[in-house]
Amino acid sequence: MTTERIHRWTKQRLREHLSVVKGERPPTIVLQQATYLNHARRKWIQANIWIADDQIVYVGNDMPEVLGDAEVVDCSNQYIVPGYIEHHAHPFQLYNPHSLAKYASERGTTTLINDNLVYFLNLEKKKALSLIEKLEELPTTMYWWTRYDSQTELLKDEMFSNSKIKSWLEHHLVVQGGELTSWPKVLQGDDTTLHWMQETTRLRKPIEGHLPGASEKTLSQMALLGVTCDHEAITGEEVVRRLDVGYTVSLRHSSIRPDLPRLFEELKELGVDYFGRCLMTTDGSPPSFYKEGVMNQCIQIALDAGLDPVDAYGMATYYVARYYNVDHKLGMIAPGRIAHLNFLSAKDAPTPVSVLAKGQWVMRDGKPAEQKQHFKWSDYGIGPIHFDWDLNEDDLHFSMPMGIEMTNAVILKPYQTMLETAANELATDHDESFFAMIDKKGKWLITTTLKGFASSVMGLASSYSYTGDVILIGKSIKAMVQAFNELKKQGGGLILVENDEVIDRIQLPLLGMMSDAPMEEIMEQEVSFATKLRERGYNHEDPMYSLQFFSSTHLPYIRVTQRGIYDVRKKRILFPAIMR
């Protein structure tokens, strides 16, 4: 099975589309007098564009012989570019794939290439694969990557069985392997992951690295093992280092690393004038980061940096499709491509006035079109978390001499705590808090202290983690238990308690990690929750990332995992989880 099956039209549908070009039946939409970006010639060209159903069938000087009831759109005052592609989406940052796709497509991002980690960890194979096939029926095109590892230390690793990885990797909607967070293990001899990397390459699918701070030597070694792209460059010099080793480089602009303007500046200083092997990504930012849209934001930054518009648009359209070997279906305005088209008021205005996705209007003259809001998640085993266990104040003891210190939003290191942890409540004149992580089934827990999160958060409960395990943080054990009880009632999400009251909450009824509300609502909820945390002393870039990444072993130096507090460098458990 190869990527060739991607968006395969039936023979009958292709014959129907052929008969449109032959003049035997009408198209569905004709874009007349369109000035469009032709990536084959790196030029803006004028033509008439015919669309039949969800496919572009003709681009040229002619008008159809048979117009029938085709919709004819005068495009003489507009510029048309291919729909934008976000090739590195994590579609579970409070939003879900459906709500993200709807919101992104209305702002011109009509293709998402998504991380599968949450579905991999929480769903059985059959349900997960039928879910991605169902999502592909939306106007937005959705492809996926498959992970090779869990990005944490799991008690049972059967979620990453060989048959499961194989089924994902060979699926026609899966276009890459990665992102490869466990690359140090591969370099140290992990042949299982290397096997899957070889399989990915054999299927002619690329491999996305995760190589922060990698030296030329490390980059070379990973290239030998099959890595073809990386999104972790944070300076112009690191971008060039990757290009020099032959990588495609994804330039990142996310809530936690809004690097794009500076990267373009540094690349210009370094004399980089060819961008054909550069892509762009927002790397799964929280909802509020997308207030102005998704890839249209990145293209705007590229244009503002003085890039040739052909490159600025190419890095979010044609260059992406070419890299993923799908430019015969996506990323160009030409016959045979899916009808993803953005209508712009000017060449340097990448936020579209109108958007066609799979030949359907999802945005028309600045107004969103009706799109199906509801998606039946329960059909795929996705619903609220059921916590069928109780938590008492007596369950939480904090006697460990070593605590966790946050050096930024996501990096944790050990520290010696001098706290009198026998107390049930801590003072609010310092930034040390109680911290607990508890199995979502209530079987084990880890308790320690956390420095650098906040100074006056009394009780916070969160199921917002890849595994759905519960994190409790606070100054008051009583408030933490109360927050957990509220979390239990609502089946997952985020709860903030103070003075015996819930002062804010976000409901995440999909696996405890995703909301089923529209994007705009989730944005408001996230901003409200983050503001309350900041008012109580949280001062890093992004609280949502902090909560999500406590257990993520692709980050230094220590992490809190299902097996206990884990030393990432030495790959060993420092303090094991305690069975309850």
Side-chain angles (χ1 to χ4, degrees):
M1 211 185 281
T2 70
T3 47
E4 187 49 50
R5 272 196 51 196
I6 284 173
H7 209 99
R8 189 169 69 178
W9 286 276
T10 61
K11 292 185 191 70
Q12 185 191 342
R13 179 55 69 93
L14 285 171
R15 294 274 174 217
E16 286 167 8
H17 291 177
L18 213 52
S19 67
V20 173
V21 186
K22 289 176 174 174
E24 294 162 5
R25 63 165 70 200
T28 40
I29 299 177
V30 179
L31 308 177
Q32 201 173 8
Q33 300 277 296
T35 301
Y36 77 100
L37 183 53
N38 179 314
H39 277 294
R41 291 178 57 197
R42 292 181 62 82
K43 269 185 172 43
W44 297 88
I45 289 175
Q46 199 173 70
N48 299 315
I49 301 166
W50 309 357
I51 294 161
D53 310 304
D54 54 354
Q55 189 177 33
I56 300 169
V57 296
Y58 173 88
V59 181
N61 296 323
D62 293 347
M63 281 294 281
E65 291 165 42
V66 182
L67 260 177
D69 54 4
E71 181 184 355
V72 180
V73 185
D74 177 13
C75 300
S76 47
N77 295 321
Q78 292 181 318
Y79 297 88
I80 301 181
V81 294
Y84 309 143
I85 305 169
E86 167 52 280
H87 79 107
H88 194 91
H90 298 275
F92 36 71
Q93 311 286 34
L94 301 177
Y95 41 76
N96 64 64
H98 188 277
S99 57
L100 175 65
K102 179 180 186 302
Y103 183 86
S105 65
E106 289 167 0
R107 287 146 188 83
T109 302
T110 53
T111 299
L112 298 168
I113 303 181
N114 294 316
D115 183 3
N116 77 333
L117 186 58
V118 166
Y119 311 103
F120 210 111
L121 287 174
N122 294 286
L123 301 185
E124 56 180 72
K125 177 175 78 182
K126 202 172 166 196
K127 284 214 162 94
L129 295 177
S130 56
L131 168 66
I132 69 172
E133 285 165 19
K134 185 71 181 169
L135 286 165
E136 177 53 15
E137 293 172 15
L138 298 173
T140 311
T141 292
M142 277 208 238
Y143 299 143
W144 297 81
W145 351 319
T146 187
R147 297 275 194 151
Y148 307 124
D149 72 281
S150 62
Q151 201 173 282
T152 185
E153 289 295 303
L154 298 173
L155 277 175
K156 298 193 187 97
D157 242 351
E158 80 264 10
M159 296 309 294
F160 273 75
S161 69
N162 285 354
S163 77
K164 201 166 175 182
I165 296 179
K166 185 177 193 296
S167 299
W168 272 90
L169 196 54
E170 292 181 347
H171 195 278
H172 62 280
L173 293 174
V174 172
V175 293
Q176 81 172 359
E179 59 184 283
L180 183 61
T181 51
S182 63
W183 59 271
K185 282 185 181 171
V186 183
L187 287 185
Q188 285 154 17
D190 170 11
D191 271 354
T192 307
T193 304
L194 182 55
H195 165 76
W196 292 120
M197 292 170 73
Q198 287 181 302
E199 277 300 285
T200 309
T201 305
R202 185 181 67 77
L203 291 165
R204 301 191 60 78
K205 298 182 184 187
I207 298 173
E208 179 70 26
H210 178 99
L211 306 164
S215 66
E216 195 177 46
K217 212 163 226 172
T218 298
L219 291 168
S220 299
Q221 291 178 77
M222 295 318 297
L224 286 177
L225 301 182
V227 171
T228 51
C229 182
D230 184 67
H231 59 283
E232 288 289 334
I234 60 173
T235 64
E237 192 187 337
E238 287 190 349
V239 174
V240 170
R241 194 183 303 160
R242 284 159 173 75
L243 290 170
D244 286 352
V245 176
Y247 284 42
T248 294
V249 185
S250 188
L251 309 178
R252 178 168 52 187
H253 192 67
S254 69
S255 61
I256 209 160
R257 297 257 24 141
D259 294 337
L260 207 50
R262 189 175 42 77
L263 287 176
F264 283 131
E265 208 173 290
E266 292 178 12
L267 289 171
K268 204 181 283 181
E269 283 165 18
L270 290 163
V272 173
D273 53 6
Y274 175 70
F275 288 91
R277 291 181 71 88
C278 291
L279 319 177
M280 298 187 286
T281 180
T282 60
D283 197 10
S285 294
S288 60
F289 186 77
Y290 296 119
K291 200 159 176 26
E292 304 304 319
V294 185
M295 295 314 294
N296 52 317
Q297 284 192 72
C298 295
I299 297 166
Q300 191 65 63
I301 292 166
L303 292 167
D304 293 345
L307 265 76
D308 181 329
V310 178
D311 285 325
Y313 290 105
M315 286 192 288
T317 59
Y318 175 57
Y319 303 167
V320 189
R322 186 178 61 189
Y323 168 72
Y324 284 98
N325 302 317
V326 292
D327 51 320
H328 60 306
K329 299 288 186 218
L330 283 174
M332 287 181 86
I333 298 175
R337 274 60 177 191
I338 300 170
H340 289 314
L341 299 166
N342 288 334
F343 298 69
L344 316 178
S345 57
K347 289 178 185 175
D348 58 358
T351 302
V353 178
S354 301
V355 180
L356 277 173
K358 289 185 186 160
Q360 303 169 44
W361 295 106
V362 294
M363 175 70 84
R364 189 79 196 265
D365 300 327
K367 291 188 186 70
E370 272 301 306
Q371 281 191 54
K372 198 173 84 174
Q373 278 288 3
H374 292 289
F375 188 83
K376 220 164 163 210
W377 293 101
S378 55
D379 289 356
Y380 305 94
I382 294 179
I385 302 182
H386 296 292
F387 301 108
D388 57 359
W389 46 276
D390 297 320
L391 183 70
N392 303 306
E393 290 178 42
D394 298 346
D395 294 328
L396 301 176
H397 301 284
F398 298 88
S399 55
M400 197 186 284
M402 188 200 86
I404 304 164
E405 182 175 0
M406 294 177 69
T407 58
N408 68 15
V410 296
I411 291 180
L412 309 175
K413 65 178 191 186
Y415 84 105
Q416 292 297 120
T417 178
M418 306 308 283
L419 273 184
E420 181 43 65
T421 51
N424 280 348
E425 193 159 315
L426 302 175
T428 55
D429 59 358
H430 59 77
D431 67 350
E432 291 184 59
S433 306
F434 295 124
F435 176 97
M437 181 164 151
I438 312 176
D439 172 30
K440 66 179 169 193
K441 296 192 172 77
K443 300 230 168 85
W444 51 261
L445 86 155
I446 298 151
T447 54
T448 182
T449 51
L450 176 65
K451 182 174 170 56
F453 181 79
S455 51
S456 56
V457 166
M458 300 315 285
L460 181 149
S462 165
S463 62
Y464 182 58
S465 67
Y466 290 116
T467 51
D469 298 318
V470 177
I471 286 168
L472 303 177
I473 300 170
K475 294 284 186 172
S476 155
I477 293 176
K478 181 184 170 196
M480 289 159 72
V481 171
Q482 192 185 345
F484 168 73
N485 287 329
E486 289 292 335
L487 186 75
K488 179 175 170 174
K489 257 186 246 172
Q490 73 175 34
L494 298 158
I495 300 276
L496 203 52
V497 164
E498 194 167 289
N499 299 328
D500 296 332
E501 271 180 71
V502 174
I503 56 167
D504 210 347
R505 71 172 76 227
I506 299 178
Q507 295 192 332
L508 301 176
L510 309 178
L511 301 174
M513 197 161 187
M514 298 169 286
S515 171
D516 55 1
M519 193 76 159
E520 292 84 350
E521 265 179 53
I522 310 164
M523 279 183 192
E524 283 174 25
Q525 293 171 4
E526 179 220 335
V527 168
S528 163
F529 204 91
T531 302
K532 288 198 176 60
L533 290 178
R534 290 189 191 287
E535 288 164 358
R536 285 155 183 76
Y538 178 91
N539 60 8
H540 304 295
E541 299 91 340
D542 194 319
M544 297 304 151
Y545 265 121
S546 297
L547 291 168
Q548 189 184 37
F549 278 166
F550 277 115
S551 60
S552 297
T553 50
H554 66 299
L555 294 160
Y557 295 89
I558 58 167
R559 310 315 289 179
V560 191
T561 75
Q562 293 186 354
R563 293 176 54 211
I565 295 179
Y566 180 78
D567 182 323
V568 176
R569 289 252 165 95
K570 295 188 175 139
K571 302 198 174 9
R572 65 189 176 98
I573 299 293
L574 301 175
F575 296 93
I578 298 160
M579 298 317 280
R580 288 180 73 221

